[in-house]
């Protein structure tokens, strides 16, 4: 069975759907303000001031700017993207403006899901203060050769993706981030470890045997410090 993903109206509308709650909130705010003015105001009502409505319109437009920004960036990123997911074969095919890419599950280093910070909360705590861009998000698929592919909420549901995420990141504004953390080779990891051990050996070179044994036997010392103490003791007896 093949699942095909690409930008469609369903996911575009779903991405912006939280904005409906924001738009609904403005008439409610107006109604509450009108009731307040009706009960408490003794003079001219602010609701009759034209400037008030300009300010209200400006606030509405500003609150939607992050959603407009994300929608445009996501659209430009995925407008030529078609993803074919072969779950049984554990393989996906990504077609974009750079060509056709065949990716097996073993080729994938990580799949990072990036969504709005509100999703960190318990379900009953979510969306108490609606944000127009809350449902925008994406998957960042990184292969072992450090190729990066973005699959945005305009083509899939990032909270229920067809490709299983390996980690989730929460951001105030889930804008696209192409940063890739390079994997260190075993030799590089060993080299870094060796440097730290040598630094500790330099610090411990004038320590007595008892002090070195203490660093080995007592808890709380770094692994590199223990290794350095062991090597210095071994050098003393050889």
């Amino acid at each position: 069975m093949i699942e095909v993903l690409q930008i469609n109206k369903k996911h575009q509308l779903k991405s912006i759907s939280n904005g409906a709650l924001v738009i609904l909130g403005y008439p409610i705010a107006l109604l509450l303000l009108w009731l307040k003015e009706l009960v408490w105001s003794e003079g001219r009502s602010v609701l009759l001031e034209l400037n008030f409505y300009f300010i209200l319109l400006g606030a509405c437009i500003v609150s939607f700017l992050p959603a407009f920004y994300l929608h445009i960036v996501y659209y430009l990123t995925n407008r030529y993207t078609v993803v074919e997911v072969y779950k049984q074969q554990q393989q996906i095919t990504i077609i974009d403006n750079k060509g056709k890419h065949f990716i097996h599950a073993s080729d994938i280093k990580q799949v990072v899901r990036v969504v709005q910070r509100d999703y960190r909360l318990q379900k009953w705590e979510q969306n108490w203060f609606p944000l127009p861009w809350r449902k925008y998000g994406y998957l960042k698929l990184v292969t072992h050769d450090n190729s990066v592919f973005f699959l945005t909420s305009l083509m899939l549901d990032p909270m229920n993706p067809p490709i299983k995420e390996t980690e989730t990141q929460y951001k105030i504004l889930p804008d696209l981030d192409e940063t890739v953390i390079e994997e260190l080779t075993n030799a590089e990891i060993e080299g870094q470890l060796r440097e730290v051990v040598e630094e500790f050996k330099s610090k411990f070179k004038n320590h007595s045997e008892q002090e070195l044994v203490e660093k080995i036997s007592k808890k709380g010392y770094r692994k590199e410090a223990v290794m350095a103490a062991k090597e210095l003791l071994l050098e003393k007896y050889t």
Side-chain angles (χ1 to χ4, degrees):
M1 182 178 176
I2 304 174
E3 184 173 357
V4 179
L5 309 172
Q6 61 187 118
I7 290 180
N8 56 63
K9 291 181 180 179
K10 172 188 172 183
H11 285 106
Q12 289 194 77
L13 290 173
K14 187 173 182 179
S15 294
I16 195 64
S17 62
N18 216 56
L21 295 176
V22 178
I23 293 174
L24 182 62
Y26 282 99
I28 293 175
L30 272 174
L31 176 61
L32 293 174
L33 186 59
W34 180 81
L35 291 173
K36 175 182 174 294
E37 291 286 327
L38 183 66
V39 173
W40 298 104
S41 180
E42 297 179 357
R44 189 176 181 183
S45 173
V46 71
L47 297 178
L48 298 178
E49 297 287 343
L50 185 60
N51 289 342
F52 170 77
Y53 291 97
F54 281 124
I55 293 172
L56 192 67
L57 177 62
C60 182
I61 293 173
V62 169
S63 68
F64 273 84
L65 286 179
F68 294 150
Y69 164 75
L70 291 176
H71 204 103
I72 293 170
V73 171
Y74 284 12
Y75 184 84
L76 293 176
T77 299
N78 282 153
R79 66 190 185 280
Y80 300 124
T81 305
V82 178
V83 181
E84 298 172 350
V85 182
Y86 303 83
K87 290 189 176 180
Q88 290 184 340
Q89 293 87 347
Q90 292 189 313
Q91 178 179 311
I92 63 173
T93 300
I94 300 178
I95 304 167
D96 57 20
N97 57 348
K98 296 180 181 179
K100 196 169 186 176
H101 315 271
F102 300 94
I103 303 172
H104 192 268
S106 60
D107 300 324
I108 298 174
K109 178 166 65 174
Q110 59 180 171
V111 180
V112 182
R113 173 171 60 189
V114 182
V115 291
Q116 215 279 326
R117 291 180 63 181
D118 182 68
Y119 285 102
R120 293 186 308 176
L121 306 174
Q122 298 293 329
K123 283 192 175 182
W124 65 272
E125 296 179 294
Q126 294 179 10
N127 216 25
W128 279 62
F129 185 75
L131 297 173
W133 66 93
R134 176 179 182 263
K135 293 191 176 181
Y136 285 87
Y138 61 91
L139 297 183
K140 181 169 76 172
L141 192 153
V142 184
T143 61
H144 285 291
D145 63 357
N146 289 333
S147 296
V148 178
F149 301 93
F150 292 108
L151 311 179
T152 70
S153 57
L154 303 189
M155 62 189 305
L156 53 76
D157 179 1
M159 297 307 297
N160 187 29
I163 304 168
K164 182 63 179 174
E165 74 282 358
T166 58
E167 65 176 283
T168 300
Q169 295 179 2
Y170 301 95
K171 300 174 66 176
I172 294 176
L173 186 72
D175 53 334
L176 302 183
D177 180 8
E178 297 186 8
T179 304
V180 176
I181 299 175
E182 296 281 351
E183 287 185 331
L184 296 177
T185 64
N186 290 334
E188 289 172 331
I189 294 172
E190 181 63 29
Q192 291 182 358
L193 177 66
R194 193 69 245 161
E195 287 181 9
V196 179
V197 170
E198 291 299 327
E199 288 178 6
F200 277 112
K201 286 178 72 174
S202 178
K203 292 178 182 179
F204 299 163
K205 64 181 180 180
N206 295 323
H207 283 29
S208 65
E209 291 184 15
Q210 183 178 350
E211 289 174 318
L212 293 174
V213 170
E214 181 180 305
K215 296 186 186 307
I216 295 170
S217 58
K218 285 191 176 181
K219 293 182 179 179
Y221 288 101
R222 287 178 56 179
K223 175 181 71 174
E224 295 88 345
V226 174
M227 291 175 62
K230 286 181 178 179
E231 290 183 13
L232 286 170
L233 278 176
L234 184 62
E235 291 172 6
K236 286 179 180 291
Y237 289 107
T238 56

